[in-house]
Amino acid sequence: MQTQRPSLAAISRLAALHVEERTIDGYAGAIPVRLYRPRDAGALPVVLYFHGGGFTSGSLDDADTPARFIAAHCPALVVSAGYSLAPAAPFPAAPEDSHAAAVWIAAHAHDFGADPARLAVAGDDAGGNLATCLTLIARDRHSVEFAAQVLLGPMLDPSMTRLGDAARLHSDITAQACAVCYRQYLPRADQRVHPYAAPLESLRLHGLPPALIATAQCDVLHVEAEKYAAALIAAGVPTQVTRHADLTHAQLPTHTPALAEAAEFLGRRLAPRTRRPRALRTPNLG
């Protein structure tokens, strides 16, 4: 199966980015960040992005395609942030690193010509888990305010009771593969119901930012992601969910239609707020 390739115009837009690397303080040590910014752009919103890898692998390079696409097409300052990986650093290191990255960019966005008042979070696979769990952490700690969240094929259910059937779906990932990742990331049974690791177990989803959840048809994770979308809707969170046909889990983060949808959603949610004009007072001529 072939996925849609970017047009030549889109490729040129992706190339017209300024990219730089930084290292910031994380939960237990330094974490890398890579910043993508359109050249010659004015004040931009900020999108914090977390890569996938099942909590045990992955790097900033794995997030390069979605980060570049969102930066060019939103447009936005995209901050791709690394985080501690299991089993060397199990829960709660990764979500705490994600929170540290959010606090850092909120404090330093102006240094990069961006507006910290227009901040969103996004991620794929394990990064999608960290993205939405970060919105819970930030809400509970009153630390950072997010205007939107985008989850691409997220891993959301460590209990693995909501997985689809891999054989029927022709999924490229299996329950066994997910189990290996979760055992390393969440070595204690009680951690598998913690809301900062298992958002589907949370009974407090109100007050979270509007969400876009994109899933792939040929992916065992699309069932839990769509159940999470339903839970957000039930909690009053504006939520948009799309299942991409004939697509696998691995293909989703670089699928042009999914990325275009994410960029459009973020562009709407991060648009500058315009002040409503004051109503003119009618003079009293009586």
Side-chain angles (χ1 to χ4, degrees):
M1 186 199 66
Q2 293 183 341
T3 58
Q4 182 177 335
R5 294 180 179 275
S7 66
L8 291 177
I11 292 172
S12 65
R13 291 183 69 182
L14 295 177
L17 297 172
H18 175 74
V19 182
E20 64 177 288
E21 310 253 351
R22 295 286 181 101
T23 300
I24 65 173
D25 292 333
Y27 174 66
I31 55 175
V33 296
R34 184 179 295 168
L35 300 101
Y36 301 78
R37 189 180 192 281
R39 296 185 185 276
D40 304 319
L44 292 166
V46 183
V47 178
L48 182 61
Y49 195 97
F50 297 105
H51 66 78
F55 305 101
T56 62
S57 64
S59 70
L60 300 184
D61 290 339
D62 295 302
D64 192 66
T65 295
R68 286 182 179 274
F69 193 101
I70 292 169
H73 292 84
C74 185
L77 169 69
V78 174
V79 182
S80 178
Y83 50 88
S84 299
L85 298 176
F91 179 86
E96 291 294 346
D97 280 342
S98 72
H99 184 253
V103 171
W104 178 81
I105 193 55
H108 294 89
H110 286 304
D111 299 341
F112 303 99
D115 181 2
R118 295 188 287 146
L119 174 62
V121 64
D124 63 88
D125 185 78
N129 176 294
L130 295 178
T132 198
C133 290
L134 174 57
T135 66
L136 289 161
I137 296 170
R139 180 203 62 191
D140 295 346
R141 297 180 185 177
H142 305 284
S143 57
V144 179
E145 185 173 350
F146 291 102
Q149 56 177 316
V150 170
L151 316 180
L152 305 175
M155 298 179 69
L156 300 174
D157 181 25
S159 75
M160 294 179 30
T161 58
R162 303 171 179 91
L163 282 176
D165 182 274
R168 183 178 62 82
L169 294 171
H170 306 288
S171 176
D172 57 336
I173 58 173
T174 64
Q176 291 78 9
C178 294
V180 170
C181 293
Y182 281 129
R183 278 198 300 268
Q184 296 180 76
Y185 178 53
L186 304 165
R188 299 202 322 263
D190 63 306
Q191 293 172 329
R192 298 197 173 197
V193 294
H194 195 293
Y196 296 169
L200 266 166
E201 304 297 337
S202 177
L203 300 178
R204 297 179 57 251
L205 296 178
H206 64 277
L208 297 183
L212 167 64
I213 300 178
T215 70
Q217 180 181 5
C218 304
D219 181 6
V220 294
L221 298 177
H222 83 239
V223 177
E224 63 195 62
E226 291 164 12
K227 287 185 179 295
Y228 186 57
L232 289 175
I233 292 169
V237 178
T239 303
Q240 178 177 331
V241 59
T242 305
R243 186 192 301 175
H244 293 266
D246 302 320
L247 206 68
T248 66
H249 178 80
Q251 291 170 326
L252 186 60
T254 57
H255 186 52
T256 300
L259 295 179
E261 182 181 38
E264 191 276 335
F265 175 83
L266 290 167
R268 282 189 288 109
R269 291 294 176 179
L270 297 175
R273 295 178 181 177
T274 56
R275 293 185 177 181
R276 297 176 63 181
R278 293 182 180 179
L280 295 177
R281 292 185 177 181
T282 303
N284 186 356
L285 301 178

